[in-house]
Amino acid sequence: MAVQQHRHRGGADTTRTIAVVAAAVLGVAVAVGCSGGADTVAEGATRDGDRPRDGSPGEVREAADKLAGAGSALARTSMEMASGGTRLTIRGEGGYDFKRRMGRLTVVLPEDPTGAEAGRPVTELLTPGALYMKNRGAGVPADKWVRIDTTTLEDGNLVTGGATDPLAAAELLRGARDIAYVGEETLSGATVRHYRGTADIAQAAKAAEPHARASLAAAAKGFANDAVPFDAYVDDKGLLRKVRHRFSFVNEGRTVDVTSTTLLFDFGSPVTVQLPDKKDIYSGKIRA
């Protein structure tokens, strides 16, 4: 379902646009038209193919494989939307089991600039090809789950759920190109190697593991430009500790920029994901 824009004069128009879009990404596919290019490479960075003093661009493309070997991790996510100077951030927290390819996040939509109160936290279960949500609202009973086939979403659930699936974020890096090694940094007490580049969604879909191909292929078709700028931070074990993707789409002529950040920590922590029974999945009509 396309996001609808409520028109007002001046700044109120932009405020309403970003507020409506932010509410819509929690379970409603947006009409996307990706735009923009790669960030300028930081001074002193080296391009893919060069021989950086430390680190190797190859470990960016191998991030998903390394996470599978790590087993699981706790996660924090944020998705910041900006349009015309107005910003909103959706935050999530939970964990991901990379071996089972399943995760659980609690996602919160904040109070928007128009004064509307934040809704109840939305529980999301992330699985290959499907997104389950509880407390979705929009006429869905509180004790029911909503199931969305992510292979049918124009963005492949890279932004629709209000958080980028941590494994999908790593699989997207298989399409990394023009990788620049920026240098070493400290992240949560750990030394990490910082890389910057663009991820080609179509190429990532071809190189991805089977469980991720259909959703990424949908995103490659849905975005007008499938080059997504990113920053990736990898620790000494080759584990992806943080990744930031920058998407943009057009909502009835107005560009909305989306910065999605995933932070992974406490690798090996137990993560329990129990999918709902069929009887607990809502089959009725969902209001816009």
Side-chain angles (χ1 to χ4, degrees):
M1 178 179 298
V3 175
Q4 294 184 353
Q5 177 179 341
H6 295 258
R7 298 192 178 278
H8 297 272
R9 293 181 180 273
D13 185 17
T14 300
T15 297
R16 176 58 66 182
T17 297
I18 190 66
V20 171
V21 171
V25 296
L26 287 175
V28 179
V30 294
V32 292
C34 190
S35 63
D39 288 354
T40 300
V41 178
E43 183 177 355
T46 56
R47 281 290 187 185
D48 191 6
D50 293 342
R51 301 177 69 88
R53 182 176 56 188
D54 297 296
S56 168
E59 66 181 353
V60 174
R61 301 189 186 97
E62 297 169 359
D65 295 330
K66 291 290 186 178
L67 290 178
S72 62
L74 300 186
R76 293 193 186 97
T77 66
S78 69
M79 186 168 283
E80 183 181 82
M81 302 182 186
S83 180
T86 301
R87 294 179 181 271
L88 282 178
T89 301
I90 300 171
R91 300 191 185 279
E93 188 165 354
Y96 206 98
D97 184 331
F98 295 104
K99 288 186 176 180
R100 297 180 63 205
R101 306 185 187 101
M102 300 171 68
R104 182 185 181 97
L105 294 174
T106 299
V107 179
V108 179
L109 182 67
E111 178 179 338
D112 68 56
T114 65
E117 294 184 358
R120 296 173 59 189
V122 177
T123 300
E124 297 187 354
L125 304 182
L126 310 167
T127 69
L131 168 67
Y132 297 82
M133 294 182 294
K134 195 173 185 180
N135 294 334
R136 166 65 179 84
V140 180
D143 62 340
K144 294 292 185 180
W145 292 82
V146 173
R147 182 187 184 281
I148 296 176
D149 182 348
T150 56
T151 66
T152 67
L153 298 177
E154 291 185 349
D155 71 313
N157 195 34
L158 292 177
V159 299
T160 289
T164 303
D165 181 313
L167 186 53
E171 289 285 353
L172 186 53
L173 294 177
R174 293 188 190 275
R177 65 190 187 193
D178 297 328
I179 303 172
Y181 175 67
V182 179
E184 284 192 350
E185 299 181 18
T186 300
L187 178 64
S188 301
T191 299
V192 295
R193 291 181 289 277
H194 179 188
Y195 296 93
R196 180 171 293 159
T198 58
D200 185 309
I201 304 177
Q203 183 59 39
K206 294 178 182 178
E209 290 294 311
H211 64 84
R213 288 176 190 166
S215 294
L216 288 177
K221 294 178 181 178
F223 283 84
N225 185 338
D226 58 9
V228 179
F230 71 83
D231 283 86
Y233 302 79
V234 182
D235 68 14
D236 288 339
K237 296 180 180 179
L239 295 175
L240 185 66
R241 300 292 293 268
K242 179 180 178 180
V243 61
R244 179 184 295 114
H245 295 292
R246 283 169 292 281
F247 306 94
S248 63
F249 60 87
V250 178
N251 178 49
E252 294 191 8
R254 188 179 297 275
T255 299
V256 179
D257 296 314
V258 179
T259 300
S260 178
T261 304
T262 301
L263 182 67
L264 300 172
F265 57 99
D266 288 353
F267 288 91
S269 297
V271 175
T272 302
V273 181
Q274 182 65 46
L275 297 183
D277 292 333
K278 186 175 181 179
K279 62 181 178 60
D280 294 323
I281 298 176
Y282 184 65
S283 59
K285 185 177 181 179
I286 302 175
R287 295 199 307 267

